[in-house]
Amino acid sequence: MSQFRYSKDEYDINRILKLNQDISNKISNDYELHEQRNDADANIESTKSLLIKLGKKKDIDRISIEIDNKKGNRKLNYRPIIQDWETILSDTAGEYSKKFVLEDIMSNTEINNSMYEYNAINAQFSAKTSIINKRDLSFLAIATALQVLKTLLFPYVSKKFGYGDSFNPDDRLAHNDKSIEAEHRNANDRFRDHFQERYKPGYWINMLYQTPPYDITAGSKDLGINMGGKAHRMYTLGHDPILGWLFGTANILTDCITFSSFANHRVSRVDPLTAKKKMLITAEQVPLTMMFKESYDMCRADKLNLPAAVFAQALHYKSDIFTKMGLPVPLLSSFNESFASKLYDEHYDALCLARDMKIIGASFIISKVIDIIITLTHGLFNNDNEPKDLYEVRTRKILLISNSIASSSTIINALITKNLCNLDIGIVFNTISHLFSDIRFIYKIKEEFVMSKISDRLQKEIDELDYLFNNI
């Protein structure tokens, strides 16, 4: 069993290497050919000795010099036909069809020597890209100081902008405030009047004015579904600030309600027995695939159904987001309902998250600006004798290490103080971006460096073979 792993292409290369090795061994071990060469060499030497005895030494020396001068421009009388790779592989499909590994081709000593050379090249790369010199260490110290200082100031600056704070319900309007209802109604009227001038009335008008199905709570207790009373917005995907654009719009088109658990029920607006208006969540479960199929059919039935549903969804967001209950943190209720409920009860909603995301984004940008300043300044000290790619590796190492130290410091600070608001998420995001981009870049440059060194060594061996060939 081999100590290495191989891809399919590498197995193909091993197969051809094994074939060439067998051919070379066969030629070197060919006794008849070896004897013919010895006989030919002996005949040449005896002929030269005879000519020298006959006084032709000057002629022999002159001819030898002429032959040596022609060796560099000598052309082969036989030119081998160069086959394409696929043809070579197909020709070896019989005897050499097994999966050869390096141990089949090289001895342990040869493998160890190769690994030693590979490690030596890696060590050479590390030496060329190390940042243990005085200049790079100075840049590392400056970059680290700037990033750490920024993370230490973050809790104080962000607090001034309300980072992590919940909203005060007393500062917001009730969900049924007259001004909200009037603005909602006027917006619907404008939409209706605008399109009614060119298109005939249809079900799309109903979708504008009727209560969205995900706002209905009646019947949920009979089904054993907890909608949290006034906090029902957290338990329905129609109120999710992100998922609601898909599920809320589909709910409006099909009169369904989709819960945060992705359970989907039909909503009834009329009592089937009394024919009176009665909005109720029924026991009829509708698969999500069927709901989206019905949504597609509704869109095809009238080209205004989809615009009206999207408009109704957008207007419902607008009327809910500034009320006392607000809108829940997007996506969270579908993955961690208990934590989402805790945040919602503490009056931390989508607007609070949007404010905090702006602060985090600003922190990320500041960290990125520091990186840019360090990158540009460090690049000014590069001299023409140093390869640009290798110098950039050192720059990226400085950025990666400084960001990692700063991220560690803000995480430790948050753990010690037991206050998540002290965690500078912007620098953490910046560090993660460096982990993905810089490590990939360093690996790419290292691979190119190793391959170039291996190519140089192979070229030296080829040159030596050419020299030996020209002296035959």
Side-chain angles (χ1 to χ4, degrees), residues 231-281:
H232 70 279
R233 294 176 186 175
M234 195 196 75
Y235 298 95
T236 56
L237 293 185
H239 287 104
D240 189 287
I242 294 177
L243 297 179
W245 288 109
L246 175 64
F247 289 95
T249 303
N251 289 166
I252 293 171
L253 285 166
T254 61
D255 261 353
C256 291
I257 179 170
T258 307
F259 298 100
S260 57
S261 62
F262 293 95
N264 200 51
H265 283 257
R266 186 78 68 187
V267 169
S268 172
R269 295 184 182 274
V270 178
D271 192 322
L273 298 178
T274 63
K276 293 183 179 180
K277 182 178 180 182
K278 185 179 180 181
M279 294 184 293
L280 184 73
I281 301 174

Side-chain angles (χ1 to χ4, degrees), residues 289-333:
T289 53
M290 182 181 294
M291 181 183 72
F292 289 121
K293 173 64 169 57
E294 291 178 4
S295 300
Y296 175 73
D297 293 338
M298 286 290 293
C299 295
R300 293 192 61 185
D302 190 329
K303 59 184 177 183
L304 283 179
N305 282 345
L306 180 60
V310 173
F311 180 79
Q313 177 68 20
L315 206 58
H316 197 77
Y317 275 151
K318 185 177 179 181
S319 64
D320 281 353
I321 195 167
F322 294 107
T323 60
K324 292 181 181 296
M325 295 305 297
L327 290 176
V329 173
L331 306 175
L332 187 59
S333 61

Side-chain angles (χ1 to χ4, degrees), residues 53-70:
K53 290 180 180 179
L54 295 174
K56 301 294 184 178
K57 186 176 185 307
K58 290 183 179 180
D59 293 331
I60 292 174
D61 293 339
R62 177 178 55 79
I63 293 172
S64 298
I65 293 173
E66 290 178 358
I67 291 174
D68 289 338
N69 292 335
K70 291 180 179 180

